[in-house]
Amino acid sequence: MTTANNDNTDNEAMQPRAGNSPLTLGTKSISKLLVQYSVPAIIASVAVSLYNIIDSIFIGQGVGPMAIAGLAITFPLMNLVVAFCTLIAVGGATISSIFIGQKNESRATDCVNNVMVLCLLHAVVFGGMTLLFLDPILLFFGATPETIGYAREFMRIILYGTPVSYVFIGLNNLMRATGYPKKAMVSALLSVAVNVALAPVFIFVFKWGIAGAAWATVGAQTASFIWVLAHFMSKKSFIHFRLENRWFNLSIIRRIYAIGLSPFLMNVCACVVVVFINRALLDYGGANSNLDVGAYGIVNRTTMFFVMIVFGVTQGMQPILGFNYGADKWDRVKRTLYIGIWLGVAITLIGFAVCEAFPDAISRMFTKDETLTAIARNGFRIYFIFYPVVGAQIVIQNFFQSIGKPQISIFLSLTRQLLFLIPFLIVLPRYYGVDGVWASMCGSDLIAFIVAMATMFVMVRRLNKRFAGVKPIEQPVE
């Protein structure tokens, strides 16, 4: 490959490499590509979700119901931790897919180099600043004297591990986007396996309590960090680190931030929303307010399990959408979108059925406390009323992100998590108490779905006109 200092060679055509080329994204059938890319991504996403569920189960069973409430208080801060990482990871993955679709290997390599640097910078700055002000942040997020000790102990260790977790998440997204979905899946499964092995030892054998769950998480992420780093250091990888390429390029960084801004704001909004939810539950929950927060923790972990499966679908769609959009293959882009919507709805419909039918069984995985189980049961029954439509909204939002239209993606992420939910949270609990908190969440899901569908139909019509008569960029057939 040519060096980064010679801009005249940046448009060098990429040659397919046997067995590892992503160029089939422009020629292979969409259904086969979705199986190839989405199934490993779904497995990886389920693994990440199980990661969080396993921590919660071990903490609930091994430490107690108040520890579950303390863990729920950390959710907003965890969303912020993820936000500053996905800002880079998703933006870099999307841009690298588009560059590969444009047959521009050098610029795709620049993306990988820049993502590595930005992940480390964000981890040091964000992790360090958060550690300095950890207690005030947790109190603002709704911690009480009964829960702040658990929340502080867990988050302090997680923040120590941010350099490792940021690089792992950032490079894992790039691994999938540059043609290695199965290896990206393995890295996620590796982290789950290590976490499952370490957590019970640290919590039940060493008696480290909630700190044991945190150390197990950091240890698991370290194992996966080594895996993904080795991949991008290997010259056998289709795209890998190159010292001669750009490591800090402002034009690439601006594009990474522009596209990554959508998932970043989505996670920031999730943080803000969880703060409002925790505050509302504490204000209207009465004597059991801490357990109401704990019940939300159980419901949130469960709903995220199914949301992460949908995210697996969207992660598998992302390189297909980005590549074909970059190659002007609009028909393939549309087909990928429509299949993705049906898959997303199917997944959240299953989630609706399971959670409405078996709320107690799910809750008892996390706790033996019957009061907490009863509160969670009520939350499940209300929260999941309109849950089937959530899958479509997530897919549509990520579609715009994947084709390089971050402004629309940002708008759609704001509708579900901020623009509609916050007003509901301000009004409904005043009349319906804790039930109003749960109803606010399901109501915002329905309205956000309607807005997303309308936005998609308008944009598809516009892009139909734009791509009419446009000749696609032909890719080599392997």
Side-chain angles (χ1 to χ4, degrees), residues 386-397:
F386 296 122
Y387 194 68
V389 303
V390 170
Q393 199 273 345
I394 293 172
V395 170
I396 294 169
Q397 174 195 318

Side-chain angles (χ1 to χ4, degrees), residues 61-115:
Q61 299 291 345
V63 187
M66 204 56 65
I68 285 284
L71 186 66
I73 294 298
T74 69
F75 289 170
L77 190 50
M78 291 291 285
N79 283 329
L80 276 181
V81 171
V82 172
F84 281 94
C85 184
T86 54
L87 174 63
I88 306 160
V90 175
T94 301
I95 294 168
S96 63
S97 292
I98 292 173
F99 281 143
I100 292 172
Q102 294 170 343
K103 302 163 65 175
N104 195 334
E105 184 179 350
S106 183
R107 296 289 277 175
T109 302
D110 290 342
C111 281
V112 174
N113 290 357
N114 279 259
V115 165

Side-chain angles (χ1 to χ4, degrees), residues 325-363:
Y325 190 78
D328 294 335
K329 298 186 176 184
W330 174 235
D331 285 342
R332 292 174 63 80
V333 172
K334 283 193 296 184
R335 178 164 173 76
T336 305
L337 168 63
Y338 296 149
I339 293 175
I341 290 173
W342 284 110
L343 288 173
V345 170
I347 292 163
T348 47
L349 180 61
I350 293 170
F352 162 81
V354 170
C355 293
E356 290 286 352
F358 309 107
D360 285 8
I362 296 170
S363 298

Side-chain angles (χ1 to χ4, degrees), residues 458-477:
V458 170
M459 183 54 64
V460 166
R461 288 183 64 182
R462 290 181 182 176
L463 292 176
N464 280 338
K465 294 178 181 178
R466 172 186 163 184
F467 283 100
V470 175
K471 185 178 179 181
I473 300 172
E474 293 302 325
Q475 306 296 337
V477 179

Side-chain angles (χ1 to χ4, degrees), residues 382-460:
I382 300 173
Y383 181 93
F384 277 83
I385 291 173
F386 296 122
Y387 194 68
V389 303
V390 170
Q393 199 273 345
I394 293 172
V395 170
I396 294 169
Q397 174 195 318
N398 281 273
F399 159 71
F400 287 109
Q401 174 185 297
S402 297
I403 65 172
K405 296 189 178 296
Q407 296 89 346
I408 300 175
S409 183
I410 291 168
F411 167 71
L412 294 178
S413 68
L414 290 175
T415 58
R416 179 172 178 238
Q417 299 197 75
L418 198 65
L419 297 181
F420 301 140
L421 181 53
I422 298 300
F424 278 145
L425 284 171
I426 293 172
V427 175
L428 292 183
R430 295 181 181 181
Y431 298 98
Y432 304 104
V434 171
D435 286 352
V437 179
W438 300 113
S440 297
M441 292 182 260
C442 73
S444 66
D445 285 343
L446 177 62
I447 300 176
F449 161 74
I450 295 171
V451 172
M453 290 295 290
T455 306
M456 180 197 72
F457 283 127
V458 170
M459 183 54 64
V460 166

Side-chain angles (χ1 to χ4, degrees), residues 362-394:
I362 296 170
S363 298
R364 289 194 178 107
M365 291 193 300
F366 296 87
T367 182
K368 301 172 184 176
D369 189 280
E370 288 302 320
T371 303
L372 181 54
T373 299
I375 295 171
R377 179 196 311 132
N378 183 59
F380 274 115
R381 291 276 163 78
I382 300 173
Y383 181 93
F384 277 83
I385 291 173
F386 296 122
Y387 194 68
V389 303
V390 170
Q393 199 273 345
I394 293 172

